[in-house]
Amino acid sequence: MADVHSYIDTHRERFLGELIELLRIPSISADPAHKADVERAAQWLLAHLRALGLEAELWPTEGHPVVYGQWLGAPEGPTVLCYGHYDVQPPDPLDLWQSPPFEPTIRDGRLYARGASDDKGQLFTHLKALEAYLRTEGRLPVNVKFLIEGEEEVGSRNLLPVLEKQRDRLRADVVLISDTAMFGPEEPSITYALRGLCYLEIELEGPNRDLHSGVYGGAVDNPALILARMLAALHDAYGRVTVPGFYDRVRPLDEAERRMLRQLPFDEEAYKRDLGLEALWGEIGYTPLERATARPALDVNGLWGGYQGPGAKTVLPARAGAKLSARLVPDQRSEEIAALITAHLQRLCPPTARLTVRRLHGGEPVLVPLDHPALQAAARACEYVFGRKPYFVREGGSIPVVAAFDEVLGLKSVLLGFGLNTDAIHSPNEHFRLENFRRGIHTIAAFWREVARGN
Ligand code: BES
Ligand code: ZN
């Protein structure tokens, strides 16, 4: 009987072929035109889980379905709830892709496709570790439950009621998620914090129609300028957010944690070079890594108003708008921050325009206690595969359901991801290194063994 780890290496080409099949399905959750493709990806996974030997089913939601599967053949062992998402971000701008986003292509030891790293490729590490156990030892060291959703990239709104409704079936000891990055290709990392998100769309309405800027300019306030003034007022000269109350619930970083973060091999020069920037910006008193992961932030994600076509048009626009998002840290709450930002914008808005604020999706921040035994199991698994101890890192991005796992199911999450920050997730030419895929599968297999062993 082959050993689990040699099975993984022997079958890696086939694993890759299967992942490529899944990546060909354009399961773009944000785009209604792709609804059938999202459904097809769910069906593909359902069939795959069943073929691996799991009891699996689709759970319909108001939006895209959830794929659920379980293998419960280790009654004496712990139960790991494995979460991933099969939906992907829209691929645009298409012309910047070197190979089409849904025609997976291997170049330079990397698999290029939308979803290769976020999250189909990472989710696949769990499926293939499972296969390796079932096809060699015939069993796993732990019970596993798979919960794979199709709406992570649009905020997981419909997953929350599923957690409530399926509370009993989702009973577990810990959650395992591979949807985050390693600090570097040789630097395995365990993420112990994610930022939350509060997303708003704002619109300003001025005059009842677009006006000739020569006839009215100077006498009528311009919504695009009002918007610019309001947005510019959201930060002070020290990079701090000016919204009253914004920082009230922010848990301060303690010295021990700051020391740990400073020990990470973060190369500020390389960071700037990679982004084509001469200088960075941010909240006074914090390092760039702290600003991007452990402190809250407020950004403009989109901005419109007035004429956007070629050439000049002398117009004073009737409307202007923006999309804003705040990244939150414990113990900020998305709803409260939305109210604070809205109130502040109302105060900033002059009587020359009418402001409307709409709340889009949100998610709460999370912090996993560093002494949780499953994090220690994950650390041993990293050491087994990479030959070195992992870094413990905070992640600036969000996975909205993670806080809900804690709040609704009482479960902590182990965020053991194999992507790299250079994988271009959400961007053109997203890719996943084949070596990260391979080592990811080994690490998940080792994690289950370690978690079963306990401490
Ligand atoms: N996998 C990402 C989260 C992530 C981003 C982890 C960067 C590690 C590094 C996840 O799929 C994601 O993009 N989440 C969205 C959530 C939002 C749409 C509610 C995000 O963070 O913007
Ligand atoms: Zn994503």
Side-chain angles (χ1 to χ4, degrees), residues 85 89 118 152-153 179 425-426:
H85 64 93
Q89 287 270 330
D118 183 12
E152 196 274 346
E153 299 292 4
D179 191 24
I425 67 173
H426 299 204

Side-chain angles (χ1 to χ4, degrees), residues 175-286:
V175 179
L176 173 66
I177 303 175
S178 298
D179 191 24
T180 49
M182 311 201 305
F183 214 80
E186 297 301 325
E187 279 123 13
S189 307
I190 295 168
T191 298
Y192 66 94
L194 292 166
R195 290 199 288 187
L197 184 67
C198 168
Y199 206 112
L200 303 173
E201 188 172 295
I202 68 176
E203 188 161 41
L204 285 170
E205 289 171 87
N208 59 9
R209 60 189 188 275
D210 279 6
L211 304 175
H212 188 297
S213 67
V215 177
Y216 292 97
V220 173
D221 206 353
N222 181 327
L225 273 172
I226 301 169
L227 181 64
R229 290 195 290 264
M230 287 170 60
L231 295 178
L234 292 176
H235 291 89
D236 69 13
Y238 301 99
R240 290 180 294 227
V241 174
T242 55
V243 176
F246 186 78
Y247 293 103
D248 283 2
R249 289 191 202 277
V250 172
R251 238 188 267 180
L253 277 173
D254 65 38
E255 246 336 288
E257 187 174 358
R258 297 191 82 176
R259 222 173 305 120
M260 187 175 92
L261 294 175
R262 271 197 297 273
Q263 275 158 17
L264 294 171
F266 179 80
D267 180 343
E268 190 168 334
E269 289 310 310
Y271 186 80
K272 286 193 284 192
R273 216 176 315 119
D274 176 52
L275 299 175
L277 287 172
E278 298 272 314
L280 297 177
W281 170 89
E283 188 187 2
I284 191 168
Y286 295 93

Side-chain angles (χ1 to χ4, degrees), residues 39 77 109 123 165 196 205 241 260 278 325 335 360 363 373 377 426:
E39 171 80 26
L123 145 75
K165 180 163 167 226
E205 289 171 87
V241 174
M260 187 175 92
E278 298 272 314
S325 70
E335 202 174 321
L360 304 185
H426 299 204

Side-chain angles (χ1 to χ4, degrees), residues 293-314:
T293 65
R295 295 289 297 171
L298 178 57
D299 269 289
V300 175
N301 300 107
L303 194 56
W304 65 92
Y307 181 62
Q308 319 270 323
K313 178 187 180 195
T314 49

